[in-house]
Amino acid sequence: MFLELIAAVFAAAAAAGVVMLLNRLTGKRLPGWLMPAAAGVTMILFAIRMEYTWYERTVADFPESVVITETNESSALWRPWTYFVPLTDRFVALDPAAVQTNDAVPHQRIAELLFFGRWKAPEAVPMVIDCATRLGAPMLDTVTFDETGAVKEAQWAPIPEGDLTFATVCKEARP
């Protein structure tokens, strides 16, 4: 965030410098308000560009094996342009290579979901997914395992049809 602020200030200074140079080349015929206006508009456009490219810049740093299972696009009143082109401000990622399985309970898989949000620190949440019953549960402190390694005492919730997380985690374990 701090580096983006510094970059925005430098972009604004560059825009002001271009207007100052144009003003000198035209014999100081440009209006006095043009230089600060150019700096302000440049900062706003730079901030908008950084907001819109955040998702692509973040995902570009991932290994090829990581799958984006969900994205969230938003629009806001204070950003009216987002009503025309919604802004991706959150997403969930999953590395299928890191999914844990147990041969004794092949239908239950543990995956670490990575939650990313603009202006928020990434959060890793381990989830257990039961591929046979299409249920999922976060791996809370209350989750225990029985003698076979099956998860018990989890807060199970149904997983909707078409969920990419379920499809990715349970790729080979279809009932």
Side-chain angles (χ1 to χ4, degrees), residues 52-71 88 90-94 114 116:
Y52 273 102
T53 61
W54 166 78
Y55 171 72
E56 288 81 14
R57 288 182 289 120
T58 304
V59 171
D61 292 337
F62 291 164
E64 288 186 28
S65 62
V66 173
V67 176
I68 307 303
T69 60
E70 186 177 338
T71 59
T88 301
R90 294 178 296 180
F91 68 93
V92 180
L94 164 69
L114 304 170
F116 290 83

Side-chain angles (χ1 to χ4, degrees), residues 63-124:
E64 288 186 28
S65 62
V66 173
V67 176
I68 307 303
T69 60
E70 186 177 338
T71 59
N72 181 67
E73 292 183 340
S74 68
S75 300
L77 186 62
W78 61 88
R79 296 183 302 215
W81 52 87
T82 60
Y83 288 104
F84 301 106
V85 180
L87 177 69
T88 301
D89 61 353
R90 294 178 296 180
F91 68 93
V92 180
L94 164 69
D95 187 357
V99 173
Q100 298 174 2
T101 59
N102 181 348
D103 291 337
V105 190
H107 63 285
Q108 287 187 351
R109 309 249 172 124
I110 297 175
E112 187 170 70
L113 300 181
L114 304 170
F115 291 85
F116 290 83
R118 181 74 169 138
W119 306 115
K120 294 181 181 161
E123 188 176 341

